[in-house]
Amino acid sequence: MAITPPENRLWWNEPLHRMEIVWITIAFLWGVVMFLTMVYWHIAGQQNLSNEAYRVKPDAFAAKAEAMVARYKVREEGDSKIPVVRPPAGGDAYLIARLWEWWPILELEKGQSYRLHLSSMDWLHGFSLQPTNINIQVHPNYEMVLTVTPTQSGEFAVVCNEFCGIGHHNMLGRIYVVDRK
Amino acid sequence: MANAAAFRVCPETGLKVCHHAEILIKANAVVAVVFLAIGGLFGLLVALTRWPAVHILPADLFYLALTAHGADVLLFWIIFFEIAVLYFASAVLLNSRLAAPKWAWFAFALMLVGALMANVAVLQGESSVMFTSYVPMKAAPHFYLGLIVFAVGALIACFVFFGTLVIARQERTYEGSIPLVTFGAVTAAVIAVYTIASGAIILIPTFLWSVGIIPHLDSIMYKVVWWGMGHSSQQINVSAHVAVWYAIAAMVLGAKPLSEKVSRTAFLLYIAFLQLASAHHLLVDPGISSSWKVFNTSYAIYLAVLGSMIHGMSVPGAIEAAQRRRGLTQGAFDWLRRAPWGNPAFSGMVLSVIMFGFLGGISGVVLGTEQLNLIMHNTLYVPGHFHATVVAGTTLAFMAITYLVVPLIFRKEIMFPGMARWQPYLFGLGAMGISFFMMGAGTLGVSRRHWDMTFADAVLKFEYPPAAFLMMGLNGISALLATLGGIMFIVIVVGSVFFGKPRDEAAIKRNPVIGPSGGAAVSQYGGEATFNLPGTTILVAVFFVSFVLYYFINWKYLSEVWPLR
Ligand code: HEM
Ligand SMILES: [Cu+2]
Ligand SMILES: [Cu+2]
């Protein structure tokens, strides 16, 4: 019985059950396959999270985002007049996370790549692009830079999916993706 | 000193039960169940709020209830119960007296004070920070202090456990090696020490920061170290509930592992590789290199997962072997059909094995795969996954063994046996539902820890697909089922413990909890050369195929999202 000491004091000398050997081998090899799949995806896959990140002070990041807005703003939206910004294809797009908004609204071109910069002004936030379903953690004092290529046009929401206080569920941003003219 | 402890002899197993160990097991188990009741109630409120048609709590209370739920069930219910398991696996199973009962009571008091302090802090409303309490969001100082005091208590309890092992060895209360269940408990306790150390390293500075002594904490560093505690503590749960699986199979059916060597090695794999796991909570955080993530999340090529896969074969294998020896040799599954399905200890254990493996295990590996985490991080998929592991897996296993602990340790008959028969099925079905439907909603992108999936008060608008709303409704219904199963459990346990009939000789004869043939039916162990295990082979094959398919389906989903570099 498993609740009593092994009857055979030399339990470590006992032969293995054949089924155990087979299963351990299969399970081990499956682990190797799963490990190699991650490595393979870094080589051949299209969706790998960037390793590019910098330490940044919130003010410094906000200043860069404001400069982008000043330069590339195309219109404003809603009562709160959130700027809609259209950064050049291939260029830098800044997105600020703060209690409780994503700022500004970005307008991107389908099929073009952008260097998207993410950082928080205060607490942790979660960048959750919907309905595409890409989810990235956003920290204060860190600027993450990733290159994204929108492949569908339309209206996308940026939900905050890291709890950030009482306004968390109202923290909703937007990204437009437009077809190339 | 050595004779200070009083013993009684268990009439069913012949084991000597130390008086101190016995009351401490009772105390820890009872408090555990109280926290399960409180935390479960918060869980129900949370689930009903997340059901858009019901949406019962206002936002501030929702976040408060969610914080209380996480802390009460994940920390306090589980860890109090685990301490009871540790004392059982050491003092009782080894026929030994408990080391330092005074320290054990001190540990109990600290844990209780800490848990109450944290609860008070949360209920006061200034500490709705979730049990993860990521900085720089700040809770009231006594929230952190409560957790620290609780952890110190748990650490002392682990040392009482180790002390008991030493005493048992010195006083030669058992022959040869420690039994497998105790070995599993040792695994849990070793991991607990590591876990609590990580907890201290992070919670003490956080407490100092909350009272203004330390000016700044780095949010990434916090997450890395916090999960050194948060994830490792899940490995404690796994070790403990696997030990419980073996214990129940042995006690009810006289089942023993196919080979001791393999099962013990599988436990060792947990100890060796778990420290690496905290990485998989930071797969989409800035500034962490891919190679570190790939190596760490795979726990060095999935060796801890290998450990679980071994147990997942060896527990059903042990049961099948025991049943076949008993003569249930027809076909592949006669042994399973004719198992004691009306015994809640057995049915709870089997459901726990199946749901932990199929739902919790597979989803956990997928979620913890570096790139796949991108399409799941912080969605409801995450709570879906861990309700399969800690609710359907650990909690159900602990409930199952309670049906043995009440007659053996509390020496009371189980009250309401008819209800007890059904309880594991009802709770299991509910737990399966909440896991499954939260995973479904998460696959559709729904955020976790989120009060309003309709975004009614947000400046901009967005709607999740209708299927996501359906999932949350079904999740609410499953929550009601799980709650009903939970209430039944509490009624049965509290009823039996406080008002139950004492278990006398006649009752023991009529209704033995320990299987009739005990160990005798399976007295030869090790290489089961004479037994084919076709049933287990089929079960394991089905598991493996599901695993592989689901794994690659998720890569397909990933390949459809926007390219990222
Ligand atoms: C009646 C049974 C239960 C129900 C209905 C339930 C339901 C839920 C729901 C709906 C969530 C919230 C998901 C979200 O909005 O993020 C949640 C979170 C959670 N549950 Fe449960 N649960 C139950 C039992 C348990 C048990 C027994 C455990 C642990 C052993 C547990 C551990 C957790 C944890 C750790 C969280 C996460 C809290 C957080 O995000 O900070 N639950 N539960
Ligand atoms: Cu936020
Ligand atoms: Cu948020």
Side-chain angles (χ1 to χ4, degrees):
Chain A
M1 290 212 302
I3 53 165
T4 52
E7 293 131 39
N8 183 343
R9 302 214 29 183
L10 297 178
W11 51 268
W12 55 86
N13 281 342
E14 300 222 312
L16 298 186
H17 196 283
R18 197 176 47 126
M19 184 175 166
E20 288 181 314
I21 300 176
V22 173
W23 178 236
I24 292 170
T25 312
I26 293 176
F28 177 75
L29 291 177
W30 173 234
V32 174
V33 168
M34 291 194 296
F35 176 78
L36 292 177
T37 308
M38 291 193 279
V39 177
Y40 164 79
W41 201 261
H42 274 284
I43 300 163
Q46 296 291 307
Q47 292 80 8
N48 287 290
L49 192 58
S50 135
N51 288 327
E52 189 178 343
Y54 306 95
R55 283 185 181 275
V56 68
K57 289 268 164 272
D59 309 347
F61 186 81
K64 288 193 275 185
E66 276 151 19
M68 170 195 74
V69 171
R71 199 147 161 218
Y72 298 116
K73 183 163 92 176
V74 288
R75 59 178 186 278
E76 288 173 344
E77 267 194 23
D79 300 338
S80 56
K81 302 234 183 313
I82 313 177
V84 179
V85 180
R86 195 157 175 181
D92 295 291
Y94 292 85
L95 187 60
I96 289 181
R98 66 183 166 216
L99 304 171
W100 285 283
E101 65 170 357
W102 296 98
W103 190 90
I105 294 178
L106 298 171
E107 187 167 282
L108 309 177
E109 252 179 50
K110 180 177 159 184
Q112 298 289 343
S113 299
Y114 296 85
R115 277 167 57 80
L116 177 64
H117 301 243
L118 297 171
S119 188
S120 161
M121 299 293 106
D122 33 61
W123 294 342
L124 264 62
H125 296 281
F127 171 93
S128 174
L129 188 71
Q130 297 298 334
T132 319
N133 207 6
I134 294 175
N135 305 280
I136 296 170
Q137 191 83 42
V138 183
H139 285 253
N141 299 313
Y142 288 89
E143 172 177 356
M144 183 186 260
V145 189
L146 51 143
T147 304
V148 295
T149 316
T151 49
Q152 301 133 308
S153 51
E155 210 179 284
F156 295 86
V158 184
V159 176
C160 177
N161 73 1
E162 181 58 77
F163 174 66
C164 55
I166 191 64
H168 164 58
H169 47 272
N170 295 328
M171 181 164 166
L172 192 61
R174 183 168 292 170
I175 292 180
Y176 291 107
V177 180
V178 296
D179 288 314
R180 260 166 107 164
K181 297 205 188 74
Chain B
M1 184 62 205
N3 299 323
F7 288 95
R8 69 175 173 90
V9 173
C10 170
E12 287 185 71
T13 55
L15 287 170
K16 270 165 62 195
V17 181
C18 162
H19 176 65
H20 291 299
E22 188 167 22
I23 0 180
L24 277 154
I25 291 170
K26 289 183 187 177
N28 281 284
V30 166
V31 172
V33 170
V34 171
F35 280 110
L36 175 64
I38 300 173
L41 181 69
F42 283 120
L44 175 68
L45 291 172
V46 167
L48 291 181
T49 307
R50 295 226 54 171
W51 184 349
V54 179
H55 212 226
I56 189 168
L57 295 179
D60 54 343
L61 287 185
F62 169 77
Y63 294 123
L64 184 155
L66 188 52
T67 308
H69 173 60
D72 281 334
V73 280
L74 192 69
L75 300 177
F76 308 144
W77 142 246
I78 292 214
I79 295 180
F80 269 111
F81 200 92
E82 274 161 1
I83 301 302
V85 169
L86 290 187
Y87 294 159
F88 176 79
S90 55
V92 177
L93 291 186
L94 297 181
N95 267 312
S96 170
R97 69 188 169 88
L98 190 75
K102 291 218 176 77
W103 281 97
W105 281 112
F106 181 54
F108 175 76
L110 284 181
M111 287 169 67
L112 190 57
V113 168
L116 291 176
M117 201 189 292
N119 264 286
V120 167
V122 172
L123 292 175
Q124 284 169 335
E126 299 303 312
S127 303
S128 298
V129 294
M130 307 295 132
F131 75 102
T132 44
S133 54
Y134 290 150
V135 301
M137 188 184 279
K138 204 180 275 182
H142 53 301
F143 174 77
Y144 306 109
L145 193 60
L147 296 183
I148 293 169
V149 170
F150 178 81
V152 172
L155 189 62
I156 295 174
C158 289
F159 284 115
V160 171
F161 167 77
F162 289 123
T164 307
L165 295 184
V166 172
I167 288 180
R169 165 127 304 215
Q170 280 172 354
E171 297 179 357
R172 302 185 153 277
T173 61
Y174 63 96
E175 298 275 305
S177 312
I178 55 173
L180 180 62
V181 171
T182 309
F183 194 84
V186 173
T187 309
V190 169
I191 298 173
V193 171
Y194 167 81
T195 298
I196 295 168
S198 303
I201 292 172
I202 197 62
L203 284 171
I204 292 173
T206 309
F207 168 69
L208 295 176
W209 167 77
S210 75
V211 294
I213 295 176
I214 291 181
H216 173 79
L217 287 177
D218 181 83
S219 58
I220 299 253
M221 184 279 297
Y222 177 93
K223 266 188 100 174
V224 172
V225 186
W226 195 93
W227 282 109
M229 164 180 72
H231 189 86
S232 315
S233 66
Q234 303 318 308
Q235 215 78 25
I236 309 179
N237 300 341
V238 176
S239 311
H241 78 224
V242 171
V244 164
W245 293 344
Y246 282 113
I248 295 176
M251 291 199 266
V252 175
L253 293 173
K256 45 176 211 177
L258 297 182
S259 70
E260 292 278 345
K261 182 160 51 179
V262 168
S263 298
R264 285 171 195 244
T265 310
F267 276 121
L268 287 178
L269 289 176
Y270 289 160
I271 299 188
F273 293 103
L274 91 144
Q275 303 89 308
L276 301 173
S278 98
H280 67 220
H281 295 269
L282 290 102
L283 292 176
V284 295
D285 291 50
I288 297 167
S289 82
S290 295
S291 38
W292 187 77
K293 290 188 228 173
V294 167
F295 178 76
N296 280 266
T297 54
S298 64
Y299 299 63
I301 324 195
Y302 292 106
L303 291 177
V305 173
L306 179 64
S308 291
M309 286 173 73
I310 292 173
H311 292 304
M313 180 260 331
S314 120
V315 172
I319 296 172
E320 180 171 2
Q323 291 281 76
R324 282 184 188 276
R325 279 187 195 282
R326 193 160 293 134
L328 301 173
T329 50
Q330 302 256 296
F333 288 113
D334 200 37
W335 60 276
L336 194 58
R337 251 192 312 274
R338 291 169 57 191
W341 293 106
N343 178 341
F346 178 82
S347 61
M349 179 268 285
V350 172
L351 292 174
S352 165
V353 175
I354 293 176
M355 294 197 283
F356 179 78
F358 276 87
L359 278 178
I362 295 179
S363 64
V365 170
V366 168
L367 187 59
T369 300
E370 197 221 347
Q371 295 95 334
L372 295 179
N373 191 255
L374 266 172
I375 56 173
M376 302 168 171
H377 179 75
N378 268 357
T379 67
L380 275 174
Y381 193 93
V382 179
H385 150 70
F386 66 67
H387 281 73
T389 56
V390 290
V391 187
T394 311
T395 301
L396 193 51
F398 287 0
M399 285 176 168
I401 199 154
T402 305
Y403 290 111
L404 301 178
V405 168
V406 168
L408 294 176
I409 300 289
F410 288 87
R411 282 178 287 164
K412 292 290 174 68
E413 290 282 278
I414 295 285
M415 242 186 187
F416 314 120
M419 187 151 91
R421 253 177 111 84
W422 289 103
Q423 188 274 331
Y425 296 100
L426 210 61
F427 184 80
L429 193 67
M432 183 168 87
I434 51 180
S435 314
F436 188 82
F437 295 121
M438 283 203 269
M439 283 187 220
T443 306
L444 297 168
V446 182
S447 166
R448 72 184 287 199
R449 299 175 164 176
H450 197 281
W451 179 66
D452 182 15
M453 69 186 285
T454 67
F455 302 99
D457 300 332
V459 178
L460 299 167
K461 294 294 156 231
F462 171 65
E463 263 174 46
Y464 284 113
F469 285 79
L470 179 67
M471 294 284 175
M472 295 317 288
L474 293 170
N475 179 58
I477 294 171
S478 310
L480 290 172
L481 274 184
T483 308
L484 193 62
I487 293 175
M488 283 160 67
F489 175 74
I490 286 162
V491 167
I492 295 165
V493 172
V494 173
S496 316
V497 165
F498 293 104
F499 312 104
K501 256 204 1 254
R503 204 165 148 75
D504 53 21
E505 290 295 329
I508 293 170
K509 284 236 172 57
R510 200 167 30 174
N511 180 21
V513 240
I514 299 292
S517 39
V522 273
S523 54
Q524 300 298 308
Y525 79 91
E528 291 274 6
T530 48
F531 278 103
N532 275 326
L533 302 173
T536 304
T537 310
I538 294 172
L539 290 177
V540 168
V542 170
F543 170 80
F544 187 68
V545 170
S546 323
F547 195 167
V548 173
L549 286 179
Y550 186 68
Y551 181 75
F552 286 114
I553 286 173
N554 278 286
W555 283 100
K556 168 125 193 345
Y557 289 157
L558 178 71
S559 74
E560 288 162 0
V561 309
W562 296 0
L564 301 171
R565 267 178 290 120

